[in-house]
Amino acid sequence: MSCLEFILFFPPVGFNKQKLKEKLKGKNILITGATFGIGANLTYKLAKTGANLILVARTEQKLMAIKKVVEHYGATAQIFAADLYKLEEVDELITNLKKIDGGIDIFISNAGKSIRRSIFKSLDRFHDFTRTMTINYYTPVKLMLSIIPMLQKNKGHVINISAMNVLLTPAPLWAAYQASKTAFDNWFRSVQAELNACNVETTSIYLPLVKTRMILPTKAYRKIPAMTPNHVANIVCKSIITRRKKYAPWWAIFGQISSVLLRRIFEKFTIKNQRKKLIS
Ligand SMILES: NC(=O)c1ccc[n+]([C@@H]2O[C@H](COP(=O)([O-])OP(=O)(O)OC[C@H]3O[C@@H](n4cnc5c(N)ncnc54)[C@H](OP(=O)(O)O)[C@@H]3O)[C@@H](O)[C@H]2O)c1
């Protein structure tokens, strides 16, 4: 893909840094999955706003290193190492979140796990489904249930880092990821009106492929153009200012229309493709 084509598919996103700073000074921002990829990029960007960042992930050493960088930029960070596959660790995290002075103002639900695996290779791997469902659905629901009162009090904002796939016809090999991301997307869109009516803003961000370690195991993705995590961080920063309800790349609509109009053709094609793979 040429540079021009890349810009066409992923047009640069800018935001007013001064406005963001004014908006976030002294605010408490909870970011899950802050150690790598999108979460880490976003953390570094928000560190320049003077906000208090509450960072969650498993890798404690990385969290400590990121905290140092955040403080170097003049913001403050509170770090919580937690394995979000384990609901008892989520409970412990919630106990700590409830002690935070002023409560949570913005929650960026970003931690996630993706799995690409054939159903035939999943027959003895029920844990793939419980894990993805826990981190991509139960954990953000559990966190939301406990922080909604704080968000309501602070006229807060929740940003869900979702995937464009949830807007399209489900693709083979992605059952665990697709089902769990769709579950939270649906839950979130369902509670959206209730939250918005109480002055809690909501944003769903539907991302295409993003160049992070998440896509590394999938060889086929190495040559496909992907957004950068820095680009995603800009989208999130802009969404904090504009409080838009939804972001999806401009071309996602063509995928959605095709998902409806060309569904039968897509299904026939995927069956043929899977048969070919079984023979080879
Ligand atoms: N990359 C893509 O192509 C793409 C596309 C669409 C949507 N997304 C979404 O974007 C979000 C961020 O993904 P990414 O691409 O930035 O992936 P990434 O680079 O793998 O980062 C995932 C983050 O989640 C944390 N995490 C993973 N498992 C965890 C667990 N059990 N407990 C606590 N934290 C955990 C990781 O930290 P530790 O390992 O330190 O725990 C890391 O900070 C996900 O929700 C993903 O579904 C990604």
Side-chain angles (χ1 to χ4, degrees):
M1 187 182 253
S2 73
C3 193
L4 205 66
E5 283 167 331
F6 191 85
I7 291 172
L8 181 73
F9 277 94
F10 307 115
V13 176
F15 62 91
N16 186 326
K17 288 186 182 144
Q18 190 52 36
K19 218 173 189 177
L20 189 72
K21 224 171 169 179
E22 282 160 20
K23 201 164 178 113
L24 296 185
K25 197 159 175 45
K27 301 278 184 198
N28 292 325
I29 307 178
L30 170 63
I31 307 172
T32 58
T35 43
F36 295 93
I38 295 166
N41 264 270
L42 182 61
T43 299
Y44 294 136
K45 235 161 239 232
L46 295 177
K48 293 166 189 162
T49 63
N52 175 43
L53 305 180
I54 300 139
L55 310 175
V56 181
R58 285 168 304 183
T59 321
E60 196 162 10
Q61 287 210 323
K62 192 86 204 283
L63 281 172
M64 289 193 296
I66 291 179
K67 179 179 162 73
K68 271 193 186 158
V69 179
V70 169
E71 287 169 349
H72 170 78
Y73 283 129
T76 54
Q78 286 168 271
I79 53 172
F80 296 103
D83 185 344
L84 303 180
Y85 288 146
K86 297 179 180 155
L87 290 177
E88 61 281 9
E89 293 198 21
V90 180
D91 281 331
E92 220 173 285
L93 171 66
I94 288 170
T95 307
N96 287 316
L97 295 180
K98 285 188 175 161
K99 291 180 193 156
I100 287 172
D101 245 7
I104 306 294
D105 295 283
I106 299 178
F107 170 32
I108 299 164
S109 180
N110 169 69
K113 163 86 179 159
S114 85
I115 296 176
R116 179 182 184 267
R117 183 164 289 130
S118 157
I119 198 63
F120 296 105
K121 290 187 178 157
S122 308
L123 302 180
D124 58 351
R125 295 184 63 91
F126 182 62
H127 59 274
D128 279 354
F129 300 91
T130 51
R131 276 189 190 161
T132 44
M133 212 57 186
T134 305
I135 192 165
N136 296 337
Y137 177 58
Y138 292 125
T139 289
V141 169
K142 206 169 205 308
L143 286 172
M144 283 287 289
L145 294 180
S146 65
I147 66 173
I148 280 174
M150 307 184 203
L151 293 167
Q152 209 178 339
K153 193 163 152 239
N154 294 346
K155 297 193 168 100
H157 187 181
V158 187
I159 298 178
N160 176 30
I161 305 298
S162 190
M164 217 180 81
N165 310 39
V166 311
L167 304 172
L168 311 174
T169 302
L173 312 183
W174 288 102
Y177 183 61
Q178 177 89 26
S180 57
K181 288 300 267 191
T182 305
F184 188 65
D185 176 61
N186 256 279
W187 184 91
F188 191 57
R189 284 194 291 132
S190 173
V191 299
Q192 179 171 296
E194 292 176 76
L195 294 175
N196 294 168
C198 297
N199 299 317
V200 178
E201 296 301 330
T202 48
T203 304
S204 298
I205 297 196
Y206 299 100
L207 296 175
L209 217 52
V210 185
K211 231 173 244 164
T212 64
R213 67 174 188 168
M214 187 175 266
I215 66 168
L216 286 181
T218 311
K219 266 191 200 158
Y221 285 172
R222 288 179 200 156
K223 287 184 184 153
I224 298 178
M227 230 181 219
T228 64
N230 183 56
H231 194 120
V232 180
N234 284 348
I235 293 167
V236 176
C237 289
K238 190 170 180 175
S239 305
I240 291 174
I241 298 172
T242 60
R243 299 197 150 199
R244 70 195 297 172
K245 290 271 171 293
K246 171 183 165 182
Y247 165 86
W250 62 266
W251 38 269
I253 187 71
F254 299 107
Q256 285 180 276
I257 293 170
S258 310
S259 281
V260 177
L261 299 182
L262 307 177
R263 206 189 85 208
R264 304 277 298 176
I265 296 172
F266 175 77
E267 283 169 356
K268 274 189 188 157
F269 169 79
T270 48
I271 293 168
K272 210 170 148 188
N273 203 24
Q274 289 305 314
R275 270 207 196 109
K276 227 196 250 170
K277 280 184 186 158
L278 283 177
I279 296 164
S280 65

